[in-house]
Amino acid sequence: MTTAQHPPRRILIVGAGLAGASAAAALREQGFDGDVTLFGQESHDPYELPPLSKGVLLGERDEPDWVREAGYYGEHGIALRRDTTVTALRPADHVIVDADGVEHGYDRLLLATGSRPRTLPGFDGPGVHMLRTLDNALALREKLTDGARVVIVGAGWIGCEVASAARAHGAHVTMVDPVPLPLRNVLGDQVGSVFRDLHADHGVTLRLGVRARGTRPDGRAVLLEDGSELPADVVVVGAGAVPRTELAEAAGLDLAAGGIAVDAALRTSAPDVYAAGDVAAHDHPRHEGRVRVEHWSNAKDQGTHVAGNLLGGHDAYGADPYFFSDQYDLGCEYRGLADPAHDELVLRGDPDSREFLAFWLRDGRVTAALNVNLWDHGDALTALVGTRARVSARQLAEADLNTLTTAGAADRR
Ligand SMILES: Cc1cc2nc3c(=O)[nH]c(=O)nc-3n(C[C@H](O)[C@H](O)[C@H](O)COP(=O)(O)OP(=O)(O)OC[C@H]3O[C@@H](n4cnc5c(N)ncnc54)[C@H](O)[C@@H]3O)c2cc1C
């Protein structure tokens, strides 16, 4: 087995999304002057996905947020290989192979291959839309017209944001999910019901607690397991994402939690191979078990962080997950990682007003915090989640949040 030279001279990055492009930029920002090549399947420059289900679908903009401005990669000597799929990894040789069969040697390799939308059996006709790429978003937007009948399969974050955009275009929207409340797996029953009411109040028909089994053969309806049919001009499947582990798996790298297993410093089980972003199942220093996060901030921050380790560092990545969503006139941010089925929910403010904070508590510590249409507490919520300070439900509901981390800081056993 070959081993990398120190310091590295050739760094390859597979996946020109947010994690990959952030890593490439950070390598240059940290002064690395060796070869950096970024391989991406798409024809676009690297871009961020959140605007796709928001501003782009709403028709407010045609472009996503670019990770770096046009021309950045060339100006910084980063070889951006668009339209290039990497098809194989040979870790023992320190080589990757692209779809044309060309071999590329590396000293260090970053796998930042992201996720793809989960497909559902029975939903494979031409009228079925998924949402992952800019091209997906532009194609779907064309169909979200006034009066169109849109059936959304999946009441998770993507399904909820697509419903919001479709209603803004005047479409008739039905959202279907076998789970009885939107976002219930992330937010639990009580907060999930806030999102159910939000969508109902904006005219979405909710068919929750029933599984969709596919489209009718003519593609003009979605069939439900209870025997009913939902007429559809447009079908959107938003059933979650599946990490793109295929390269790593074929190369024999360790997998975990559905992703590529990485240690605290984002190293995979293969020498000189790292992973970051959606695809990385991370041995987080402050969470139990493997943590795999499909959030914008995680991709950006892990991508930036891993650059230092690609250059020889061993620093653990320790940031807590952070997520945001916008639906109609509701904006929210979620920090941390709760288990809503077991953690205690503490509400501050009236959820029916859709201006409130929610906390999840486990053993007297905040595992996650959500702010809905309230924007003044970001630092306090970050600190509460991040410091693991001991707090009570009553303090969370009533006390000055800014004092809690200071007061609880003394007790962080
Ligand atoms: C529509 C949408 C809206 C979202 N909104 C939010 C939000 O509001 N808030 C939030 O926190 N998060 C949001 N997310 C999630 C967030 O955008 C992702 O977690 C983040 O983009 C992951 O970045 P990544 O770089 O790991 O993966 P990706 O962005 O998926 O990038 C991976 C790239 O690798 C390429 N690739 C994969 N395999 C290969 C290969 N073999 N060869 C070459 N290239 C390859 C892919 O084509 C892709 O371009 C949203 C996601 C979507 C889809």
Side-chain angles (χ1 to χ4, degrees):
M1 184 184 293
T2 48
T3 52
Q5 305 287 313
H6 293 275
R9 295 307 306 158
R10 292 172 305 173
I11 298 181
L12 303 186
I13 300 173
V14 184
L18 180 55
S22 299
L27 286 169
R28 288 296 184 237
E29 281 151 18
Q30 292 182 28
F32 178 62
D33 62 0
D35 295 345
V36 179
T37 308
L38 187 54
F39 293 86
Q41 239 170 357
E42 293 189 52
S43 51
H44 305 291
D45 272 9
Y47 58 91
E48 304 188 2
L49 306 183
L52 302 185
S53 51
K54 304 173 186 68
V56 173
L57 268 198
L58 284 164
E60 295 169 354
R61 55 198 291 186
D62 295 328
E63 294 193 355
D65 292 330
W66 304 104
V67 179
R68 288 290 186 280
E69 67 277 11
Y72 174 89
Y73 302 94
E75 285 162 16
H76 290 80
I78 296 167
L80 174 58
R81 301 283 189 96
R82 300 179 191 80
D83 300 305
T84 306
T85 304
V86 174
T87 52
L89 158 61
R90 298 206 311 264
D93 302 328
H94 279 60
V95 158
I96 59 171
V97 186
D98 69 27
D100 293 328
V102 179
E103 298 186 352
H104 307 265
Y106 63 81
D107 298 324
R108 301 270 155 73
L109 174 69
L110 174 63
L111 298 174
T113 47
S115 309
R116 58 165 57 89
R118 185 185 306 283
T119 55
L120 294 179
F123 289 93
D124 46 15
V128 175
H129 290 256
M130 308 259 193
L131 183 53
R132 184 79 198 177
T133 64
L134 176 58
D135 297 347
N136 293 159
L138 294 174
L140 175 58
R141 187 173 78 184
E142 291 283 299
K143 303 288 176 60
L144 300 182
T145 53
D146 196 4
R149 295 166 304 176
V150 178
V151 176
I152 299 169
V153 181
W157 295 112
I158 297 283
C160 287
E161 292 190 354
V162 172
S164 168
R167 288 297 299 136
H169 289 289
H172 301 294
V173 178
T174 305
M175 196 152 52
V176 190
D177 200 303
V179 175
L181 289 166
L183 300 165
R184 182 195 189 214
N185 297 341
V186 192
L187 302 177
D189 288 341
Q190 205 171 343
V191 182
S193 64
V194 172
F195 286 83
R196 175 198 59 204
D197 296 347
L198 172 76
H199 286 276
D201 288 353
H202 284 84
V204 174
T205 303
L206 294 157
R207 294 297 307 272
L208 301 171
V210 57
R211 191 174 297 278
R213 54 185 183 83
T215 51
R216 207 168 60 192
D218 66 2
R220 306 294 293 174
V222 170
L223 308 174
L224 304 188
E225 271 189 347
D226 65 3
S228 50
E229 291 191 13
L230 305 173
D233 302 309
V234 186
V235 177
V236 184
V237 174
V242 180
R244 299 188 57 173
T245 56
E246 56 269 20
L247 279 179
E249 193 170 356
L253 273 58
D254 290 350
L255 304 181
I260 303 171
V262 291
D263 68 7
L266 303 170
R267 290 176 294 209
T268 72
S269 58
D272 302 315
V273 182
Y274 296 68
D278 278 17
V279 80
H282 176 218
D283 188 5
H284 197 291
R286 292 187 299 147
H287 291 279
E288 289 164 25
R290 295 276 173 179
V291 176
R292 202 178 59 70
V293 179
E294 293 172 1
H295 295 170
W296 168 87
S297 65
N298 180 71
K300 185 169 182 283
D301 296 345
Q302 278 193 349
T304 304
H305 182 95
V306 80
N309 292 349
L310 288 164
L311 297 178
H314 303 287
D315 292 343
Y317 176 80
D320 283 305
Y322 165 87
F323 179 84
F324 60 95
S325 180
D326 296 316
Q327 302 167 34
Y328 314 102
D329 50 359
L330 182 152
C332 62
E333 297 174 302
Y334 176 95
R335 295 169 169 82
L337 198 57
D339 174 358
H342 296 101
D343 298 350
E344 179 188 359
L345 174 68
V346 181
L347 292 170
R348 184 175 172 121
D350 176 11
D352 291 337
S353 71
R354 295 184 192 139
E355 284 189 12
F356 65 101
L357 305 179
F359 301 93
W360 286 265
L361 261 184
R362 190 185 311 161
D363 303 328
R365 300 177 203 279
V366 177
T367 53
L370 173 78
N371 53 304
V372 175
N373 282 346
L374 292 176
W375 307 106
D376 293 340
H377 305 283
D379 292 344
L381 300 186
T382 300
L384 274 167
V385 172
T387 59
R388 311 299 196 258
R390 274 195 179 277
V391 289
S392 68
R394 187 167 167 181
Q395 285 174 308
L396 286 174
E398 294 172 7
D400 177 352
L401 295 176
N402 292 311
T403 63
L404 287 182
T405 42
T406 334
D411 184 9
R412 263 186 237 143
R413 288 184 300 265

